[in-house]
Amino acid sequence: MGFKERLREEIEYRGLLIKEISAAVGISNSTFLSYIDARGVLPNVETAVKIAKYLGVTVEYLVDGNSEKSEFQELPFHSEKKKLSEFFDKLSSHDKSILLKIANAMTE
């Protein structure tokens, strides 16, 4: 497993969207996609550090997979979002629709 696979795995594990990460890191979606698609482009060091910090892992882990995975504490936002996603996935289609209407009303 290489950089792009570990990066993809972390994104999926945390239930994040590409646009969230790229915005937080300050790069375009297409640039970020180049890190995880078939091109497998490696980011520059500064960008790799920003991505790793955002994901709560070390750059070394993303690069070689052998290093300690995390030197940062998982951000509460990420774990809360993951829990919400897990709960949402267990709902019926009808319940999902209702929950989305409630969430929409709450954010207006």
Side-chain angles (χ1 to χ4, degrees):
M1 185 182 311
F3 179 88
K4 72 178 181 178
E5 291 84 11
R6 275 185 288 282
L7 180 56
R8 227 184 286 135
E9 187 176 80
E10 287 300 315
I11 292 167
E12 289 174 15
Y13 170 74
R14 296 172 192 293
L16 299 171
L17 300 173
I18 300 301
K19 64 182 181 179
E20 288 177 83
I21 304 168
S22 57
V25 172
I27 58 174
S28 70
N29 290 343
S30 61
T31 297
F32 193 88
L33 284 171
S34 73
Y35 305 149
I36 60 173
D37 66 14
R39 293 173 281 178
V41 174
L42 291 173
N44 64 42
V45 174
E46 182 180 322
T47 302
V49 169
K50 288 179 183 179
I51 292 169
K53 283 185 179 181
Y54 188 79
L55 294 175
V57 299
T58 63
V59 175
E60 293 83 1
Y61 170 75
L62 290 175
V63 172
D64 66 21
N66 296 322
S67 303
E68 185 69 27
K69 182 177 178 178
S70 179
E71 65 182 30
F72 310 104
Q73 290 192 345
E74 186 169 323
L75 300 175
F77 171 78
H78 291 150
S79 61
E80 289 174 357
K81 186 173 180 181
K82 184 174 185 251
K83 284 180 191 174
L84 284 172
S85 178
E86 289 170 357
F87 292 142
F88 188 80
D89 289 343
K90 293 177 184 177
L91 297 175
S92 69
S93 296
H94 177 68
D95 289 344
K96 286 178 182 177
S97 176
I98 293 170
L99 185 58
L100 289 172
K101 288 177 184 176
I102 293 169
N104 187 47
M106 291 175 72
T107 58
E108 289 182 342

XYZ file of all heavy atoms in Angstrom:
859
model
N 0.854 -1.177 0.000
C 0.000 0.000 0.000
C 0.896 1.234 0.000
O 1.843 1.329 0.758
C -0.905 -0.022 1.242
C -1.902 1.102 1.262
S -3.002 1.208 2.717
C -3.622 -0.417 2.904
N 0.563 2.193 -0.843
C 1.356 3.406 -0.956
C 0.646 4.624 -0.390
O -0.420 4.509 0.244
N 1.225 5.786 -0.644
C 0.698 7.055 -0.145
C -0.762 7.232 -0.530
O -1.599 7.525 0.319
C 1.541 8.220 -0.683
C 1.061 9.570 -0.238
C 1.502 10.117 0.951
C 0.164 10.292 -1.012
C 1.063 11.366 1.371
C -0.279 11.544 -0.604
C 0.167 12.070 0.589
N -1.071 7.081 -1.824
C -2.445 7.351 -2.264
C -3.444 6.402 -1.609
O -4.545 6.813 -1.252
C -2.557 7.335 -3.781
C -2.466 5.989 -4.431
C -2.646 6.108 -5.936
C -2.566 4.733 -6.573
N -2.770 4.801 -7.999
N -3.078 5.141 -1.418
C -3.987 4.184 -0.790
C -4.221 4.512 0.686
O -5.347 4.447 1.181
C -3.464 2.749 -0.930
C -3.496 2.208 -2.344
C -2.276 2.600 -3.179
O -1.294 3.116 -2.600
O -2.310 2.393 -4.396
N -3.144 4.863 1.390
C -3.300 5.214 2.810
C -4.098 6.508 2.947
O -4.938 6.636 3.837
C -1.943 5.325 3.493
C -1.417 3.975 3.979
C -0.130 4.107 4.769
N 0.991 4.436 3.913
C 1.638 3.573 3.140
N 1.268 2.311 3.120
N 2.640 3.951 2.391
N -3.848 7.458 2.058
C -4.595 8.714 2.089
C -6.079 8.445 1.836
O -6.941 8.925 2.578
C -4.030 9.691 1.052
C -4.696 11.053 0.950
C -4.705 11.781 2.284
C -3.998 11.893 -0.122
N -6.374 7.663 0.823
C -7.757 7.300 0.515
C -8.410 6.592 1.701
O -9.556 6.870 2.063
C -7.778 6.384 -0.707
C -8.802 6.802 -1.730
C -8.908 5.873 -2.908
N -7.784 6.008 -3.809
C -7.123 4.996 -4.350
N -7.473 3.758 -4.086
N -6.129 5.203 -5.170
N -7.677 5.681 2.315
C -8.183 4.919 3.460
C -8.538 5.847 4.627
O -9.575 5.690 5.269
C -7.116 3.911 3.894
C -7.556 2.938 4.945
C -6.461 1.926 5.240
O -5.525 2.255 5.991
O -6.542 0.805 4.691
N -7.680 6.807 4.909
C -7.940 7.757 6.005
C -9.154 8.628 5.705
O -9.952 8.913 6.590
C -6.714 8.641 6.267
C -5.586 7.912 6.954
C -5.978 7.341 8.308
O -6.626 8.039 9.115
O -5.646 6.172 8.559
N -9.294 9.044 4.464
C -10.437 9.872 4.075
C -11.727 9.090 4.283
O -12.695 9.599 4.859
C -10.308 10.324 2.603
C -9.135 11.303 2.466
C -11.602 10.962 2.114
C -8.727 11.571 1.035
N -11.749 7.850 3.837
C -12.932 7.008 3.997
C -13.212 6.719 5.470
O -14.359 6.782 5.918
C -12.754 5.701 3.229
C -12.804 5.892 1.734
C -12.479 4.627 0.962
O -12.478 3.524 1.560
O -12.204 4.747 -0.250
N -12.160 6.405 6.226
C -12.314 6.094 7.647
C -12.951 7.261 8.402
O -13.792 7.070 9.275
C -10.947 5.760 8.246
C -10.952 5.650 9.755
C -11.517 4.550 10.388
C -10.391 6.662 10.532
C -11.530 4.457 11.775
C -10.400 6.567 11.920
C -10.966 5.473 12.530
O -10.980 5.379 13.902
N -12.552 8.461 8.051
C -13.051 9.641 8.753
C -14.331 10.204 8.141
O -14.906 11.163 8.645
C -11.971 10.710 8.802
C -10.772 10.224 9.612
C -9.588 11.153 9.535
N -8.393 10.549 10.067
C -8.190 10.226 11.338
N -9.112 10.452 12.227
N -7.061 9.667 11.717
N -14.765 9.620 7.030
C -16.008 10.073 6.400
C -15.935 11.484 5.868
O -16.904 12.231 5.944
N -14.787 11.842 5.327
C -14.585 13.200 4.836
C -14.845 13.299 3.341
O -14.826 12.304 2.627
C -13.155 13.653 5.133
C -12.772 13.708 6.602
C -11.286 13.956 6.758
C -13.565 14.805 7.300
N -15.052 14.517 2.889
C -15.206 14.802 1.469
C -13.934 15.467 0.956
O -13.281 16.230 1.683
C -16.390 15.742 1.229
C -17.756 15.233 1.681
C -18.801 16.328 1.529
C -18.156 14.003 0.886
N -13.614 15.210 -0.297
C -12.431 15.800 -0.925
C -12.480 17.316 -0.828
O -11.491 17.960 -0.497
C -12.315 15.361 -2.405
C -12.205 13.853 -2.527
C -11.171 16.077 -3.101
C -11.052 13.230 -1.816
N -13.654 17.888 -1.095
C -13.758 19.351 -1.082
C -13.495 19.931 0.309
O -12.974 21.026 0.437
C -15.089 19.822 -1.644
C -16.309 19.426 -0.859
C -17.566 19.916 -1.545
C -18.795 19.541 -0.759
N -20.010 20.029 -1.406
N -13.851 19.188 1.364
C -13.565 19.654 2.728
C -12.056 19.739 2.965
O -11.557 20.726 3.488
C -14.104 18.664 3.768
C -15.581 18.598 3.939
C -15.936 17.526 4.957
O -15.876 17.846 6.161
O -16.250 16.397 4.554
N -11.384 18.663 2.606
C -9.936 18.599 2.857
C -9.194 19.604 1.997
O -8.338 20.334 2.490
C -9.398 17.177 2.612
C -10.154 16.164 3.468
C -7.906 17.110 2.905
C -9.902 14.727 3.086
N -9.532 19.647 0.705
C -8.810 20.560 -0.181
C -9.013 22.012 0.249
O -8.073 22.812 0.214
C -9.199 20.345 -1.644
O -10.577 20.497 -1.837
N -10.221 22.367 0.690
C -10.470 23.731 1.175
C -9.660 24.015 2.435
O -9.054 25.082 2.568
C -11.959 23.934 1.437
N -9.630 23.056 3.348
C -8.889 23.247 4.599
C -7.390 23.359 4.361
O -6.695 24.086 5.069
C -9.173 22.097 5.560
N -6.909 22.626 3.365
C -5.474 22.607 3.074
C -5.068 23.767 2.166
O -3.912 24.165 2.137
C -5.094 21.237 2.443
C -3.677 21.206 1.942
C -5.324 20.126 3.456
N -6.047 24.304 1.429
C -5.778 25.441 0.556
C -5.309 25.054 -0.838
O -4.478 25.749 -1.437
N -5.850 23.941 -1.353
C -5.525 23.516 -2.712
C -6.831 23.227 -3.450
O -7.886 23.103 -2.831
C -4.620 22.262 -2.734
C -5.275 21.091 -1.994
C -3.247 22.570 -2.159
C -4.510 19.780 -2.083
N -6.757 23.111 -4.765
C -7.956 22.828 -5.547
C -8.358 21.368 -5.401
O -7.537 20.508 -5.075
C -7.716 23.156 -7.020
O -6.814 22.221 -7.582
N -9.639 21.112 -5.674
C -10.121 19.729 -5.640
C -9.362 18.864 -6.631
O -9.023 17.721 -6.330
C -11.618 19.666 -5.964
C -12.491 20.241 -4.873
O -12.064 20.418 -3.745
N -13.721 20.552 -5.220
N -9.095 19.401 -7.819
C -8.412 18.599 -8.837
C -6.983 18.264 -8.416
O -6.495 17.165 -8.682
C -8.431 19.293 -10.197
O -7.774 20.532 -10.138
N -6.325 19.192 -7.749
C -4.973 18.903 -7.255
C -5.036 17.797 -6.212
O -4.260 16.849 -6.250
C -4.323 20.168 -6.652
O -4.191 21.154 -7.682
C -2.968 19.853 -6.050
N -5.993 17.909 -5.288
C -6.117 16.867 -4.263
C -6.442 15.516 -4.893
O -5.897 14.498 -4.498
C -7.173 17.239 -3.218
C -7.106 16.358 -2.012
C -6.285 16.679 -0.955
C -7.823 15.173 -1.948
C -6.185 15.850 0.160
C -7.746 14.334 -0.853
C -6.917 14.675 0.204
N -7.334 15.528 -5.872
C -7.688 14.274 -6.543
C -6.482 13.616 -7.192
O -6.395 12.395 -7.248
C -8.783 14.518 -7.586
C -10.185 14.711 -7.017
C -11.149 15.162 -8.107
C -10.687 13.441 -6.356
N -5.530 14.425 -7.651
C -4.333 13.854 -8.286
C -3.496 13.048 -7.291
O -2.701 12.210 -7.685
C -3.482 14.939 -8.939
O -2.804 15.720 -7.972
N -3.694 13.283 -6.005
C -2.963 12.532 -4.977
C -3.574 11.151 -4.730
O -2.893 10.257 -4.232
C -2.935 13.280 -3.638
C -2.386 14.676 -3.692
C -2.841 15.647 -2.823
C -1.411 15.048 -4.613
C -2.340 16.936 -2.852
C -0.921 16.332 -4.654
C -1.393 17.286 -3.771
O -0.905 18.559 -3.811
N -4.865 10.997 -5.044
C -5.532 9.732 -4.713
C -6.031 8.957 -5.930
O -6.527 7.847 -5.784
C -6.704 9.949 -3.728
C -7.755 10.885 -4.319
C -6.202 10.458 -2.391
C -9.009 10.997 -3.479
N -5.910 9.524 -7.113
C -6.376 8.786 -8.292
C -5.223 8.020 -8.931
O -4.144 7.896 -8.342
C -7.077 9.715 -9.286
C -6.171 10.762 -9.920
O -4.931 10.640 -9.816
O -6.699 11.705 -10.527
N -5.450 7.512 -10.119
C -4.459 6.664 -10.800
C -3.123 7.379 -11.032
O -2.076 6.725 -11.106
C -5.016 6.174 -12.123
N -3.159 8.703 -11.123
C -1.901 9.439 -11.331
C -0.962 9.282 -10.141
O 0.245 9.233 -10.301
C -2.173 10.933 -11.567
C -2.898 11.202 -12.870
C -3.285 12.645 -12.987
N -4.493 12.869 -12.177
C -5.068 14.041 -12.025
N -4.553 15.108 -12.581
N -6.158 14.163 -11.296
N -1.526 9.238 -8.945
C -0.722 9.033 -7.741
C 0.361 10.075 -7.539
O 1.449 9.769 -7.058
N 0.053 11.317 -7.873
C 1.010 12.407 -7.684
C 1.255 12.583 -6.186
O 0.336 12.470 -5.378
C 0.442 13.716 -8.289
C 1.331 14.897 -7.989
C 0.226 13.558 -9.781
N 2.482 12.856 -5.811
C 2.798 13.126 -4.407
C 2.776 14.630 -4.163
O 3.321 15.400 -4.965
C 4.174 12.571 -4.044
C 4.280 11.050 -4.018
C 5.733 10.627 -3.812
C 3.401 10.464 -2.936
N 2.178 15.062 -3.074
C 2.145 16.498 -2.771
C 3.518 16.978 -2.325
O 4.373 16.190 -1.921
C 1.154 16.590 -1.610
C 1.212 15.255 -0.953
C 1.505 14.266 -2.055
N 3.703 18.307 -2.393
C 4.948 18.847 -1.845
C 4.906 18.694 -0.326
O 3.862 18.390 0.254
C 5.166 20.305 -2.285
C 4.107 21.256 -1.745
O 3.699 21.167 -0.592
N 3.654 22.172 -2.577
N 6.023 18.879 0.306
C 6.145 18.634 1.747
C 5.169 19.488 2.553
O 4.495 18.985 3.464
C 7.597 18.872 2.218
C 7.711 18.764 3.719
C 8.535 17.905 1.535
N 5.070 20.754 2.216
C 4.184 21.658 2.960
C 2.732 21.182 2.886
O 2.024 21.132 3.899
C 4.296 23.072 2.381
C 3.450 24.098 3.106
C 3.598 25.486 2.494
O 4.712 25.859 2.083
O 2.574 26.185 2.427
N 2.297 20.789 1.715
C 0.928 20.306 1.538
C 0.727 18.975 2.246
O -0.309 18.751 2.882
C 0.593 20.181 0.036
O 0.767 21.466 -0.583
C -0.825 19.707 -0.177
N 1.710 18.092 2.162
C 1.610 16.795 2.846
C 1.452 16.982 4.353
O 0.664 16.277 4.993
C 2.838 15.939 2.535
N 2.176 17.925 4.915
C 2.068 18.204 6.357
C 0.674 18.717 6.691
O 0.055 18.286 7.672
C 3.155 19.211 6.806
C 2.893 19.724 8.210
C 4.529 18.569 6.712
N 0.139 19.624 5.869
C -1.208 20.161 6.109
C -2.259 19.050 6.029
O -3.174 18.994 6.857
C -1.533 21.255 5.095
C -0.779 22.538 5.318
C -1.146 23.555 4.243
C -0.362 24.837 4.373
N -0.716 25.792 3.297
N -2.127 18.181 5.044
C -3.079 17.073 4.896
C -3.001 16.152 6.104
O -4.024 15.778 6.689
C -2.808 16.283 3.597
C -3.137 17.139 2.369
C -3.603 14.976 3.578
C -2.670 16.549 1.052
N -1.798 15.789 6.485
C -1.616 14.889 7.629
C -2.194 15.497 8.903
O -2.892 14.812 9.662
C -0.132 14.562 7.810
N -1.922 16.769 9.137
C -2.464 17.425 10.332
C -3.979 17.436 10.303
O -4.633 17.188 11.322
C -1.921 18.853 10.460
C -0.517 18.899 10.979
C -0.056 20.325 11.213
C 1.358 20.326 11.768
N 1.835 21.687 12.035
N -4.554 17.720 9.151
C -6.008 17.756 9.045
C -6.613 16.385 9.330
O -7.656 16.278 9.972
C -6.437 18.251 7.665
C -7.922 18.483 7.570
C -8.497 19.645 8.092
C -8.763 17.551 6.991
C -9.863 19.858 8.039
C -10.135 17.749 6.928
C -10.671 18.907 7.453
O -12.027 19.106 7.405
N -5.934 15.343 8.859
C -6.425 13.979 9.063
C -6.070 13.420 10.430
O -6.571 12.369 10.827
C -5.871 13.052 7.976
C -6.340 13.332 6.555
C -5.611 12.425 5.575
C -7.847 13.155 6.435
N -5.167 14.091 11.143
C -4.771 13.617 12.460
C -3.803 12.453 12.413
O -3.787 11.614 13.307
N -3.012 12.381 11.346
C -2.009 11.325 11.216
C -0.646 11.975 10.946
O -0.564 13.170 10.715
C -2.343 10.330 10.071
C -3.666 9.639 10.334
C -2.351 11.016 8.717
N 0.391 11.169 10.965
C 1.717 11.700 10.646
C 1.964 11.588 9.146
O 1.403 10.709 8.475
C 2.826 10.928 11.388
O 2.816 9.563 10.936
C 2.643 10.987 12.900
N 2.817 12.446 8.633
C 3.223 12.375 7.233
C 3.941 11.047 6.987
O 3.727 10.394 5.960
C 4.148 13.562 6.856
C 4.669 13.404 5.435
C 3.425 14.876 7.019
N 4.756 10.660 7.947
C 5.499 9.405 7.814
C 4.558 8.228 7.625
O 4.816 7.343 6.817
C 6.403 9.167 9.033
C 7.538 10.157 9.159
C 7.138 11.474 9.831
O 5.955 11.646 10.234
O 8.001 12.342 9.945
N 3.466 8.221 8.363
C 2.489 7.137 8.206
C 1.918 7.128 6.792
O 1.801 6.065 6.166
C 1.361 7.254 9.228
C 0.238 6.301 8.912
C 0.367 4.951 9.175
C -0.932 6.748 8.295
C -0.642 4.056 8.842
C -1.941 5.864 7.966
C -1.781 4.528 8.230
O -2.772 3.642 7.887
N 1.546 8.296 6.274
C 0.995 8.352 4.920
C 2.015 7.893 3.880
O 1.668 7.244 2.904
C 0.520 9.772 4.588
C -0.716 10.270 5.334
C -0.995 11.724 4.995
C -1.932 9.402 5.027
N 3.282 8.197 4.108
C 4.322 7.857 3.141
C 4.710 6.394 3.204
O 4.740 5.698 2.184
C 5.567 8.755 3.335
C 6.716 8.286 2.462
C 5.226 10.208 3.032
N 5.016 5.893 4.402
C 5.560 4.528 4.471
C 4.672 3.505 5.174
O 4.895 2.305 5.062
C 6.952 4.513 5.086
C 6.990 4.917 6.552
O 5.968 4.843 7.251
O 8.078 5.302 7.009
N 3.680 3.961 5.899
C 2.779 3.034 6.567
C 3.380 2.297 7.750
O 2.676 1.592 8.461
N 4.672 2.447 7.967
C 5.339 1.726 9.040
C 5.488 2.557 10.302
O 5.715 2.028 11.367
C 6.728 1.261 8.591
C 6.650 0.269 7.448
O 5.772 -0.576 7.410
N 7.558 0.394 6.505
N 5.406 3.848 10.156
C 5.588 4.754 11.289
C 4.325 4.790 12.137
O 3.267 4.316 11.731
C 5.897 6.163 10.792
O 7.032 6.138 9.966
N 4.450 5.371 13.301
C 3.297 5.573 14.177
C 2.225 6.308 13.381
O 2.494 7.320 12.749
C 3.728 6.400 15.394
C 2.668 6.581 16.437
C 2.339 5.292 17.179
O 3.205 4.414 17.284
O 1.192 5.177 17.639
N 1.017 5.787 13.405
C -0.060 6.366 12.598
C -0.402 7.781 13.019
O -0.596 8.649 12.189
C -1.307 5.487 12.677
C -2.446 5.994 11.836
C -3.618 5.057 11.880
C -4.771 5.602 11.078
N -5.909 4.705 11.063
N -0.483 8.006 14.303
C -0.961 9.309 14.754
C -0.100 9.873 15.866
O 0.199 9.197 16.825
C -2.396 9.194 15.250
O -2.852 10.429 15.716
N 0.262 11.103 15.676
C 0.903 11.832 16.774
C -0.014 12.948 17.236
O 0.259 13.657 18.169
C 2.251 12.400 16.346
C 2.184 13.452 15.279
C 3.550 13.948 14.847
O 4.515 13.207 14.901
O 3.629 15.112 14.449
N -1.129 13.073 16.550
C -2.111 14.099 16.862
C -3.345 13.413 17.419
O -3.656 12.299 17.033
C -2.510 14.866 15.595
C -1.340 15.345 14.796
C -0.973 14.704 13.630
C -0.598 16.427 15.213
C 0.106 15.137 12.888
C 0.483 16.858 14.481
C 0.833 16.220 13.312
N -4.061 14.102 18.247
C -5.323 13.548 18.717
C -6.351 13.702 17.618
O -6.343 14.691 16.890
C -5.805 14.281 19.962
C -4.961 13.998 21.176
C -5.642 14.499 22.421
O -6.568 15.274 22.365
N -5.161 14.059 23.550
N -7.233 12.723 17.511
C -8.283 12.828 16.511
C -9.156 14.029 16.843
O -9.530 14.236 17.994
C -9.130 11.556 16.501
C -10.138 11.573 15.394
C -10.796 10.225 15.196
O -10.133 9.206 15.325
O -11.998 10.234 14.909
N -9.447 14.809 15.839
C -10.260 15.987 16.045
C -11.684 15.575 16.393
O -12.253 14.699 15.743
C -10.262 16.858 14.786
C -8.899 17.354 14.341
C -9.025 18.094 13.013
C -8.284 18.250 15.388
N -12.280 16.177 17.413
C -13.640 15.804 17.819
C -14.624 15.883 16.661
O -15.495 15.053 16.526
C -13.987 16.818 18.902
C -12.694 17.314 19.402
C -11.728 17.213 18.259
N -14.446 16.881 15.803
C -15.340 17.044 14.654
C -15.347 15.791 13.794
O -16.391 15.322 13.378
C -14.909 18.258 13.834
C -15.636 18.384 12.527
C -16.925 18.880 12.499
C -15.054 17.990 11.342
C -17.615 18.986 11.300
C -15.729 18.090 10.146
C -17.015 18.597 10.126
N -14.174 15.239 13.549
C -14.078 14.062 12.688
C -14.789 12.865 13.311
O -15.513 12.157 12.628
C -12.626 13.713 12.395
C -11.946 14.721 11.527
N -10.615 14.971 11.600
C -12.420 15.540 10.568
C -10.295 15.901 10.723
N -11.375 16.258 10.093
N -14.580 12.629 14.589
C -15.204 11.470 15.217
C -16.713 11.661 15.316
O -17.469 10.711 15.145
C -14.595 11.196 16.589
O -14.778 12.288 17.447
N -17.178 12.879 15.572
C -18.606 13.141 15.626
C -19.247 12.948 14.259
O -20.319 12.366 14.137
C -18.882 14.555 16.131
C -18.580 14.739 17.603
C -18.716 16.183 18.055
O -18.995 17.064 17.218
O -18.544 16.418 19.254
N -18.577 13.421 13.236
C -19.096 13.282 11.885
C -19.167 11.808 11.491
O -20.134 11.364 10.876
C -18.219 14.052 10.898
C -18.767 14.073 9.510
C -17.957 14.976 8.628
C -18.529 14.990 7.231
N -17.773 15.825 6.339
N -18.171 11.056 11.885
C -18.158 9.618 11.581
C -19.324 8.924 12.277
O -20.009 8.101 11.679
C -16.830 9.003 12.015
C -16.711 7.540 11.637
C -15.346 6.994 11.941
C -15.245 5.580 11.440
N -15.209 4.593 12.447
N -19.572 9.267 13.534
C -20.684 8.663 14.270
C -22.018 8.997 13.596
O -22.878 8.124 13.438
C -20.709 9.159 15.717
C -19.660 8.532 16.597
C -19.765 9.084 18.006
C -18.579 8.681 18.839
N -18.584 9.319 20.155
N -22.189 10.259 13.214
C -23.422 10.659 12.546
C -23.610 9.881 11.248
O -24.713 9.429 10.927
C -23.419 12.162 12.249
C -23.683 13.073 13.424
C -23.461 14.531 13.035
C -25.105 12.878 13.938
N -22.530 9.716 10.526
C -22.579 8.969 9.262
C -22.975 7.516 9.511
O -23.785 6.943 8.776
C -21.231 9.041 8.568
O -21.239 8.298 7.389
N -22.425 6.906 10.547
C -22.759 5.522 10.880
C -24.226 5.388 11.271
O -24.910 4.456 10.846
C -21.853 5.011 12.000
C -20.427 4.797 11.564
C -19.462 4.533 12.720
O -19.894 4.566 13.898
O -18.279 4.290 12.423
N -24.733 6.343 12.065
C -26.142 6.320 12.447
C -27.031 6.489 11.210
O -28.005 5.786 11.028
C -26.471 7.424 13.459
C -25.851 7.236 14.809
C -25.373 8.322 15.516
C -25.750 5.978 15.396
C -24.809 8.164 16.769
C -25.185 5.813 16.657
C -24.718 6.909 17.346
N -26.666 7.445 10.375
C -27.439 7.744 9.174
C -27.535 6.518 8.272
O -28.593 6.209 7.731
C -26.809 8.923 8.429
C -27.639 9.438 7.290
C -28.703 10.292 7.525
C -27.359 9.067 5.986
C -29.479 10.777 6.472
C -28.125 9.540 4.929
C -29.189 10.386 5.171
N -26.438 5.802 8.111
C -26.407 4.618 7.251
C -27.363 3.521 7.731
O -27.808 2.701 6.936
C -24.990 4.041 7.156
C -24.065 4.915 6.349
O -24.558 5.781 5.592
O -22.837 4.740 6.475
N -27.678 3.508 9.017
C -28.546 2.474 9.577
C -30.038 2.802 9.425
O -30.879 1.946 9.666
C -28.224 2.265 11.060
C -26.849 1.685 11.300
C -26.562 1.565 12.778
C -25.137 1.061 13.008
N -24.824 0.996 14.441
N -30.345 4.035 9.025
C -31.745 4.455 8.918
C -32.391 3.950 7.633
O -31.719 3.727 6.626
C -31.832 5.984 8.945
C -31.357 6.686 10.209
C -31.387 8.192 10.013
C -32.219 6.288 11.400
N -33.710 3.834 7.679
C -34.466 3.496 6.469
C -34.479 4.721 5.560
O -34.194 5.846 6.000
C -35.903 3.119 6.843
O -36.599 4.271 7.313
N -34.852 4.527 4.321
C -34.924 5.649 3.372
C -35.884 6.721 3.864
O -35.609 7.916 3.760
C -35.371 5.167 1.993
O -34.425 4.295 1.450
N -37.003 6.280 4.412
C -38.004 7.219 4.929
C -37.423 8.044 6.087
O -37.577 9.277 6.129
C -39.245 6.447 5.392
C -40.304 7.315 5.994
N -41.039 8.222 5.270
C -40.744 7.415 7.270
C -41.870 8.856 6.069
N -41.727 8.377 7.295
N -36.766 7.359 7.018
C -36.182 8.054 8.169
C -35.054 9.000 7.741
O -34.890 10.081 8.311
C -35.686 7.062 9.206
C -36.833 6.358 9.934
O -37.982 6.837 9.861
O -36.561 5.319 10.568
N -34.286 8.600 6.742
C -33.234 9.476 6.219
C -33.841 10.763 5.677
O -33.326 11.856 5.911
C -32.427 8.776 5.127
C -31.486 7.721 5.645
C -30.756 7.034 4.492
C -29.846 5.940 5.025
N -29.179 5.194 3.944
N -34.927 10.623 4.940
C -35.608 11.787 4.373
C -36.079 12.738 5.471
O -35.905 13.952 5.379
C -36.790 11.323 3.530
O -37.519 12.409 3.046
N -36.666 12.179 6.513
C -37.144 12.992 7.637
C -35.982 13.700 8.327
O -36.042 14.901 8.609
C -37.921 12.119 8.656
C -39.222 11.623 8.030
C -38.182 12.881 9.952
C -39.953 10.575 8.847
N -34.913 12.959 8.575
C -33.747 13.541 9.241
C -33.135 14.667 8.417
O -32.748 15.707 8.960
C -32.709 12.460 9.526
C -31.483 12.896 10.314
C -31.883 13.490 11.670
C -30.541 11.729 10.517
N -33.072 14.494 7.110
C -32.528 15.544 6.243
C -33.394 16.799 6.285
O -32.881 17.914 6.281
C -32.374 15.036 4.814
C -31.259 14.030 4.605
C -31.316 13.450 3.198
C -29.900 14.659 4.865
N -34.716 16.617 6.349
C -35.620 17.767 6.451
C -35.408 18.497 7.773
O -35.395 19.725 7.818
C -37.069 17.311 6.308
C -37.423 16.911 4.896
C -38.843 16.392 4.800
C -39.111 15.910 3.382
N -40.440 15.299 3.247
N -35.234 17.743 8.843
C -34.984 18.342 10.162
C -33.664 19.120 10.148
O -33.603 20.263 10.604
C -34.979 17.272 11.272
C -36.370 16.671 11.446
C -34.453 17.844 12.587
C -36.418 15.438 12.332
N -32.621 18.492 9.618
C -31.302 19.144 9.566
C -31.369 20.406 8.715
O -30.788 21.438 9.079
C -30.259 18.181 9.012
N -32.084 20.345 7.623
C -32.222 21.524 6.753
C -32.933 22.652 7.493
O -32.512 23.812 7.449
C -32.983 21.152 5.486
C -33.009 22.282 4.492
O -31.988 22.897 4.214
N -34.171 22.553 3.947
N -34.005 22.318 8.212
C -34.746 23.327 8.977
C -33.889 23.940 10.072
O -33.967 25.140 10.346
C -36.020 22.703 9.580
N -33.047 23.124 10.695
C -32.193 23.612 11.778
C -31.108 24.565 11.282
O -30.634 25.410 12.022
C -31.556 22.434 12.521
C -32.550 21.614 13.316
S -31.781 20.157 14.071
C -30.804 20.930 15.348
N -30.688 24.400 10.047
C -29.583 25.217 9.532
C -30.052 26.460 8.792
O -29.229 27.249 8.359
C -28.674 24.390 8.611
O -29.453 23.851 7.532
C -28.009 23.266 9.391
N -31.357 26.593 8.641
C -31.860 27.791 7.948
C -31.990 28.960 8.871
O -32.062 28.922 10.019
C -33.216 27.493 7.297
C -33.073 26.572 6.105
C -34.411 26.301 5.425
O -35.488 26.525 6.014
O -34.366 25.846 4.286
